[in-house]
Amino acid sequence: MKMFLNGALATVSLAAALSLAGISSSAHATPAAAAATSAPVERTRLTVTVVGSGPDIILIPGLASPRAVWDRTVEQLKARYRLHLVQIRGFGDDAGANASGPVLDPFVDDVAGYIREAGLTRPAVIGHSMGGLTAAMIAARYPDLLGRVLIEDSLPFIGLIFSPMATVDAVRPQADALLKAALAKGPQPPSPQDPTLAIMSATEAGRAQVMAWSATADHRVTAQVFHDVLLTDIRPDLGRITTPVTVLYPYDPVVGPVEYVDALYAGAYKGLRGANLQRIDASRHFIMLDQPERFAAAVDDFLQGYGG
């Protein structure tokens, strides 16, 4: 939807800009890291810290976001569940193997590899934005790997924002041009007046938090992942998903008529049997920031009966 596209575009520019400006978000990234019960697991495309004990839940952030995006959710769940906090390399740490070339597909496979090698049995997965797309891709590629999935504001094909008839081939020229331009420009000075920042959160505090998180993201990784997402359409694969899926999507009048938003998500996920779509009003892209209580309640509903 318009919110997702503008939010992603804003994050691309902000991540590059804030990185050069040297604005640090380390103060926001500490709580989850400090609560980790083990040293970070180092993998090719990602790192994982583990918090709490109980049935396993994997949490995957979105574009240019570190694992600290889940700090409130960690506090909510760590007494009852073992939380695996994924962070894509380049979103808050060194880019490593993600510094060049495609990132999304290798990242998806690396998350799946972590689940197998850690011996997790059908864990629940919660993913925001790109993290939600990652969760859906894993569920489609490896139908027996996950137990249940919660997707927070993500579409199976972002090209639907442009047109319900959009295809990957139609989007490709714009995606390639955006990637080329972002890599050529390198890190850019910050632009707090960028109007697309408003799409990320409905509050000034939320927007400041998103900017701080974006500050630690490598602009190369952000641009490449956004390119990868633009050229990914998993709608033909939705029928392979047997895992129960809940989709939370936001609504705010700034994105247009509510009927458009409802129809966009219903149409995008029509190939996913039994999908549970829930609209969260008075929220923009980061639902966990704009509506923390409602998001927490939705997470508890999603986990009802899990591990019991």
Side-chain angles (χ1 to χ4, degrees):
M1 83 189 229
K2 181 170 68 176
M3 173 181 295
F4 188 95
L5 176 63
N6 287 345
L9 283 168
T11 308
V12 169
S13 60
L14 287 169
L18 297 173
S19 185
L20 179 65
I23 300 173
S24 171
S25 66
S26 58
H28 302 283
T30 353
T37 58
S38 64
V41 177
E42 304 279 344
R43 296 188 63 87
T44 304
R45 301 289 179 165
L46 57 96
T47 63
V48 185
T49 59
V50 181
V51 182
S53 60
D56 293 296
I57 302 174
I58 297 170
L59 296 106
I60 309 174
L63 188 71
S65 297
R67 60 175 60 91
V69 73
W70 301 116
D71 280 353
R72 283 194 182 106
T73 305
V74 168
E75 292 304 309
Q76 174 188 355
L77 301 178
K78 67 180 182 181
R80 296 175 285 153
Y81 300 97
R82 183 167 63 159
L83 309 175
H84 304 258
L85 303 169
V86 171
Q87 184 164 284
I88 191 167
R89 289 192 181 276
F91 292 170
D93 52 17
D94 183 77
N98 294 334
S100 62
V103 174
L104 181 61
D105 274 338
F107 173 68
V108 168
D109 287 338
D110 213 9
V111 174
Y114 171 78
I115 293 170
R116 292 193 192 93
E117 292 171 28
L120 308 185
T121 303
R122 297 183 67 85
V125 180
I126 301 174
H128 174 237
S129 193
M130 179 273 300
L133 178 63
T134 297
M137 291 171 73
I138 293 172
R141 291 182 184 180
Y142 313 105
D144 298 324
L145 199 58
L146 306 182
R148 61 183 73 185
V149 170
L150 174 64
I151 295 172
E152 180 190 357
D153 198 17
S154 182
L155 289 169
F157 178 45
I158 197 175
L160 294 173
I161 298 162
F162 305 111
S163 163
M165 305 302 293
T167 65
V168 168
D169 287 341
V171 172
R172 189 179 303 277
Q174 183 179 5
D176 290 346
L178 285 169
L179 175 61
K180 184 177 180 180
L183 295 179
K185 287 179 181 178
Q188 297 294 303
S191 300
Q193 289 78 32
D194 187 337
T196 55
L197 178 60
I199 306 298
M200 305 300 281
S201 173
T203 70
E204 184 176 346
R207 293 189 289 272
Q209 177 69 92
V210 172
M211 290 180 68
W213 282 331
S214 300
T216 60
D218 186 302
H219 77 281
R220 299 167 299 177
V221 183
T222 304
Q224 181 65 58
V225 173
F226 183 43
H227 176 269
D228 296 348
V229 170
L230 279 170
L231 300 184
T232 298
D233 182 0
I234 65 166
R235 288 176 298 168
D237 302 323
L238 292 177
R240 301 178 188 173
I241 297 177
T242 57
T243 306
V245 176
T246 296
V247 180
L248 304 181
Y249 65 97
Y251 174 69
D252 186 286
V254 300
V255 304
V258 66
E259 294 81 8
Y260 165 76
V261 175
D262 288 342
L264 176 63
Y265 279 88
Y269 284 101
K270 66 181 179 181
L272 180 55
R273 295 184 301 274
N276 177 15
L277 272 62
Q278 300 178 25
R279 192 181 76 225
I280 307 294
D281 291 338
S283 179
R284 301 181 190 175
H285 188 50
F286 282 77
I287 300 173
M288 74 281 275
L289 297 183
D290 288 351
Q291 293 291 338
E293 291 81 12
R294 293 185 65 190
F295 181 76
V299 168
D300 279 338
D301 287 346
F302 163 72
L303 293 172
Q304 194 165 27
Y306 176 61

